[in-house]
Amino acid sequence: MNYDRIFSISSTREFEKISLEVFRHQYHHVAIYRKFCDLLKISPHTVTQLSQIPFLPIEFFKSHAIITQGEKPQITFTSSGTTGAVTSKHLVSDLNWYEKSFNHAFESFYGKIQDLVILALLPSYLEREGSSLVYMVHHLIQKSGHPESGFYLENLEKL
């Protein structure tokens, strides 16, 4: 996969083309996804448009390790779930790629992170481990470089 191409998509047509390439890559390199597609009798040869790409049910992320063959997770994020419930897991094998992805998305909507102050109030997220939202916000706070940026759950007066 050429990740730079993903971050430079500039049209709907290009998005669909790259999405089909990503689908083919996932089919060939993520065993559980390939098995899922095969059971649905869907293959890279039969998928010619975006609407035909099958999506894994969220339950799979609770019961299977969804990751590219041969990759090892650098970090595992978990869903919040309810008390005692099995949580879904997001295995991330490349934190640089993950960070580039959410940085790019953030800046596409809000502008340069360094030009912003990030004020985070995340009740029920900071108390648990494995939150991707806390990871992202912490990263954005650091990248903003502003002394006012920070988590304010324990300091509402300062917020």
Side-chain angles (χ1 to χ4, degrees):
M1 292 298 318
N2 182 337
Y3 300 124
D4 291 332
R5 285 184 55 227
I6 291 172
F7 293 117
S8 63
I9 293 172
S10 60
S11 70
T12 302
R13 183 177 174 166
E14 190 176 9
F15 176 78
E16 183 153 340
K17 180 181 178 191
I18 292 173
S19 295
L20 290 169
E21 290 175 26
V22 170
F23 160 69
R24 289 181 189 101
H25 176 83
Q26 296 296 320
Y27 179 89
H28 291 295
H29 299 284
V30 180
I32 191 67
Y33 184 62
R34 181 175 48 256
K35 186 175 181 180
F36 175 73
C37 291
D38 289 348
L39 289 170
L40 294 174
K41 303 209 182 312
I42 296 172
S43 77
H45 304 2
T46 61
V47 174
T48 58
Q49 55 189 347
L50 191 61
S51 62
Q52 297 172 314
I53 297 173
F55 297 96
L56 281 175
I58 193 67
E59 289 297 317
F60 278 46
F61 292 86
K62 294 179 180 183
S63 58
H64 297 81
I66 313 296
I67 193 164
T68 301
Q69 291 169 295
E71 299 280 334
K72 298 216 182 304
Q74 283 187 316
I75 194 167
T76 299
F77 296 118
T78 57
S79 63
S80 55
T82 56
T83 305
V86 175
T87 59
S88 57
K89 293 175 181 60
H90 178 196
L91 308 177
V92 177
S93 60
D94 186 339
L95 275 172
N96 289 328
W97 162 241
Y98 186 78
E99 290 170 2
K100 185 174 182 176
S101 177
F102 71 73
N103 283 323
H104 181 78
F106 185 92
E107 289 187 348
S108 293
F109 286 98
Y110 302 108
K112 289 188 180 273
I113 296 166
Q114 294 84 349
D115 295 341
L116 301 170
V117 174
I118 308 295
L119 307 173
L121 182 60
L122 301 171
S124 78
Y125 283 91
L126 292 175
E127 294 87 11
R128 68 174 194 82
E129 289 187 36
S131 168
S132 59
L133 180 59
V134 170
Y135 182 91
M136 286 185 252
V137 172
H138 177 73
H139 176 85
L140 294 171
I141 287 168
Q142 297 299 312
K143 192 169 180 182
S144 79
H146 288 279
E148 299 90 2
S149 290
F151 288 98
Y152 287 88
L153 182 61
E154 303 298 328
N155 197 346
L156 294 178
E157 299 262 333
K158 190 173 180 184
L159 177 65

